[in-house]
Amino acid sequence: MTANPPVLKNYIGGKWVAARADQTLDVRNPATTEILAKVPLSKATDMDDAVRAAREAFPEWRKTPPIERARYFFRLKNLLEERFEDLSRTLTTEHGKTLPESRGSVKRGIECVEVATGIPSLMMGKVLEDVARGIDCEAIRRPLGVFACIAPFNFPFMVPLWFLPFAVACGNTFVVKPSEQAPMSQQDLFALLDEAGFPPGVVNLVNGAKDAAQRILEHPDIEGVSFVGSSPVAEHVYAECGKYGKRVQALGGAKNFIIIMPDANLERSVDNIAESVYGCAGERCLAGTVLVPVGDMYEPFRDKFVERARALKMGNGLDSGVELGPVISEAHKKRVLEYIETGIKEGAELLLDGRNPSVKEKGYFVGPTVFDKVKPDMVIAQEEIFGPVACLLPVKTLDDALDLIHSHDLANATSIYTTSGESARRLRYEAEPSMMGVNIGVAAPMSFFSFGGAKGSFLGDLKAHGWESIDFFTDRKVVISRWF
Ligand code: NAD
């Protein structure tokens, strides 16, 4: 255990400052249970300080030409690349995911910065001469003021970068409220934002939990909120933002169905599907969790999948060759184990039991788990488990698989494994989840496309990153001119 773990600071107005919190939470390395730091539960007044700093920085930042704003992000990108390995290690240490998984998500975060450096082109407006004789019309994109993001624990480094670079490159100023469960990599990110020389108040960090987040929702000087987390909290955030008149994009939970057609290339698909289920210990909003083999594919797929899952190497994500790390906390481990108990009680067949994995570390490990003969109305088929648990739900036809997808309230992502263009097109055309993979188990849109699901998995209309985020972070002002 770290002697005297540090209490994390907030970054407000270009300075690292202590929070006014009366309470802190331990931040633990989930692989070892070692305390890494204490995270303060900042108060509403800490958030007020950050919003004030952001508000004061806005007029000058807004006037900074987009090409100059972009240069701050070029500097940040270089710094992120220089510190790539350290950032990835911090991420594995705070979250538990394996080092290759951390590298992947740090890379995805950097890609958001890269795309935002294109802001002079991305932010351009439109002009039409002679909308009437001698009258011209121009549509201009303008920043709005202060935006904020409330982030989840599962991609603690990357998710704030889905928003911050786009918002700030557009000329807004920004406040991040990281997950209280995994706040370490945001400390590193803000140290680099500081080093990149962003003017004081343009970017701010406030640690904390519900209270700090609630103040974001209520604060009259915050124009819009980007939320990523569970669906019940997304619903609350969406309703509150409506009440307080804010823009909002609220990305919620998931239950993703993976269809394996009888004509799928089984040899080439199984590793990819196992990675979708067990990557990041299943703590991924794009994780495939309900596996739906169709027709004759059921038995061959089941046998190969269980064999692959059984062979996964568990351990500390920093060790080479490890494929499955721990889940985030003792409490979350308990929750996942309760789902496994529920599945057994509901009558699903436990083909691989991860409840007592043999791992040398004493962290929060749950082994790869596979349930077979899962029925659509079982709790394990309905609720987001967010752990390394696969539910096999065999069906007879693609129509049955589509019915399953349509009957679920969440619609984040789905994938199909097939060699038939016709089947793939049917899924693309008919399925509601708005992130879809064809022979790809984790269909994660790149930073120049938009990220977000449908139905209960996404509340709002403009999604994360890509071109939609430029719409989210700007107002489109229309000017109609006639000169005498
Ligand atoms: P969570 O909802 O518990 O917490 C997310 C954030 O909300 C945290 O910063 C937390 O402090 C804050 N929060 C908690 N209660 C709040 C309240 N009442 N008001 C305002 N803020 C509050 O989620 P989590 O456990 O950190 O993350 C996992 C969840 O996130 C999963 O459901 C996962 O599917 C989802 N997720 C979704 C996406 C996506 O793209 N749709 C991406 C990543 C994670």
Side-chain angles (χ1 to χ4, degrees):
M1 191 165 293
T2 310
N4 299 322
V7 178
L8 301 182
K9 293 208 163 135
N10 294 337
Y11 182 82
I12 297 177
K15 293 197 174 67
W16 290 100
V17 295
R20 292 195 187 86
D22 315 313
Q23 228 189 319
T24 59
L25 299 177
D26 291 341
V27 183
R28 289 177 188 270
N29 176 339
T32 61
T33 78
E34 176 198 13
I35 299 179
L36 303 168
K38 290 182 176 285
V39 63
L41 299 188
S42 296
K43 295 188 164 172
T45 50
D46 295 301
M47 189 56 75
D48 290 349
D49 292 348
V51 178
R52 196 175 310 111
R55 188 76 229 167
E56 285 171 11
F58 174 63
E60 199 44 47
W61 184 245
R62 189 230 150 142
K63 282 189 223 146
T64 305
I67 187 81
E68 286 180 33
R69 296 199 298 256
R71 287 186 192 125
Y72 288 88
F73 285 101
F74 279 113
R75 284 200 287 277
L76 178 65
K77 170 179 147 58
N78 289 340
L79 291 166
L80 288 165
E81 278 169 352
E82 276 167 29
R83 314 287 162 81
F84 179 78
E85 202 54 28
D86 293 342
L87 290 165
S88 304
R89 293 184 83 83
T90 302
L91 183 51
T92 289
T93 310
E94 71 177 335
H95 177 275
K97 63 182 80 189
T98 68
L99 203 46
E101 288 166 347
S102 289
R103 290 187 187 118
S105 82
V106 172
K107 198 158 160 272
R108 289 265 174 164
I110 296 174
E111 284 164 2
C112 291
V113 175
E114 283 172 352
V115 173
T117 58
I119 205 66
S121 310
L122 291 170
M123 227 186 135
M124 276 185 196
K126 292 183 176 171
V127 182
L128 183 67
E129 286 182 335
D130 292 320
V131 288
R133 218 165 269 275
I135 297 180
D136 302 331
C137 186
E138 56 199 306
I140 304 164
R141 289 180 180 279
R142 324 162 63 227
L144 286 154
V146 183
F147 280 82
C149 124
I150 303 171
F153 80 80
N154 65 327
F155 283 92
F157 177 78
M158 175 184 77
V159 164
L161 288 173
W162 284 357
F163 309 109
L164 182 152
F166 296 98
V168 172
C170 282
N172 302 290
T173 54
F174 207 78
V175 182
V176 174
K177 204 296 282 171
S179 166
E180 64 277 27
Q181 298 195 76
M184 309 298 289
S185 55
Q186 285 302 295
Q187 296 274 306
D188 292 356
L189 175 66
F190 272 76
L192 298 184
L193 285 160
D194 184 72
E195 212 176 319
F198 282 85
V202 170
V203 289
N204 304 275
L205 171 75
V206 179
N207 286 290
K210 251 163 103 165
D211 292 351
Q214 182 61 29
R215 186 61 185 147
I216 288 178
L217 308 179
E218 294 171 0
H219 202 296
D221 282 340
I222 292 185
E223 302 295 330
V225 177
S226 303
F227 170 85
V228 183
S230 57
S231 282
V233 182
E235 281 168 26
H236 170 73
V237 166
Y238 190 67
E240 290 288 282
C241 286
K243 182 165 140 198
Y244 291 102
K246 294 187 196 315
R247 289 186 176 200
V248 58
Q249 40 186 192
L251 287 77
K255 192 79 181 171
N256 304 319
F257 295 81
I258 294 199
I259 302 171
I260 308 104
M261 294 299 288
D263 60 14
N265 181 330
L266 190 55
E267 290 302 320
R268 297 193 58 180
S269 304
V270 167
D271 276 6
N272 196 249
I273 297 171
E275 207 284 313
S276 174
V277 177
Y278 300 114
C280 300
E283 294 168 329
R284 198 152 55 180
C285 72
L286 295 174
T289 52
V290 186
L291 308 181
V292 188
V294 176
D296 294 346
M297 183 50 96
Y298 168 43
E299 284 174 4
F301 173 74
R302 178 196 62 197
D303 297 347
K304 270 213 163 308
F305 183 80
V306 172
E307 186 188 316
R308 178 68 191 104
R310 186 174 279 122
L312 285 169
K313 187 173 169 206
M314 289 195 81
N316 186 331
L318 289 177
D319 295 340
S320 74
V322 166
E323 297 169 290
L324 178 57
V327 298
I328 186 71
S329 64
E330 182 76 56
H332 191 56
K333 176 176 172 176
K334 187 164 168 271
R335 198 179 119 99
V336 175
L337 296 184
E338 280 167 10
Y339 274 116
I340 298 176
E341 301 291 338
T342 303
I344 296 167
K345 281 192 204 122
E346 288 180 308
E349 191 180 323
L350 191 57
L351 295 184
L352 189 62
D353 183 355
R355 284 176 294 177
N356 292 300
S358 81
V359 193
K360 70 175 187 316
E361 288 82 4
K362 61 174 180 169
Y364 315 124
F365 290 91
V366 181
T369 299
V370 183
F371 276 113
D372 191 16
K373 304 201 171 71
V374 174
K375 299 275 179 300
D377 57 351
M378 289 181 179
V379 170
I380 55 168
Q382 286 294 323
E383 295 185 9
E384 184 180 38
I385 299 174
F386 227 50
V389 180
C391 295
L392 261 92
L393 203 165
V395 296
K396 292 203 171 67
T397 63
L398 179 56
D399 285 312
D400 298 337
L402 277 162
D403 286 347
L404 273 178
I405 295 175
H406 289 150
S407 67
H408 206 281
D409 291 341
L410 301 178
N412 208 42
T414 187
S415 295
I416 187 166
Y417 286 79
T418 184
T419 47
S420 151
E422 188 199 1
S423 300
R425 188 190 186 265
R426 266 202 75 196
L427 193 75
R428 189 179 74 190
Y429 196 77
E430 291 182 30
E432 291 158 326
S434 31
M435 293 182 278
M436 178 182 153
V438 179
N439 298 311
I440 295 203
V442 179
M446 304 281 287
S447 49
F448 28 89
F449 283 90
S450 298
F451 194 114
K455 292 167 80 180
S457 292
F458 178 78
L459 303 172
D461 54 359
L462 297 171
K463 296 184 177 177
H465 60 57
W467 60 88
E468 291 187 37
S469 77
I470 308 300
D471 282 346
F472 186 73
F473 292 120
T474 57
D475 184 36
R476 273 80 68 201
K477 178 172 187 166
V478 174
V479 182
I480 306 171
S481 317
R482 170 165 62 182
W483 295 93
F484 297 114

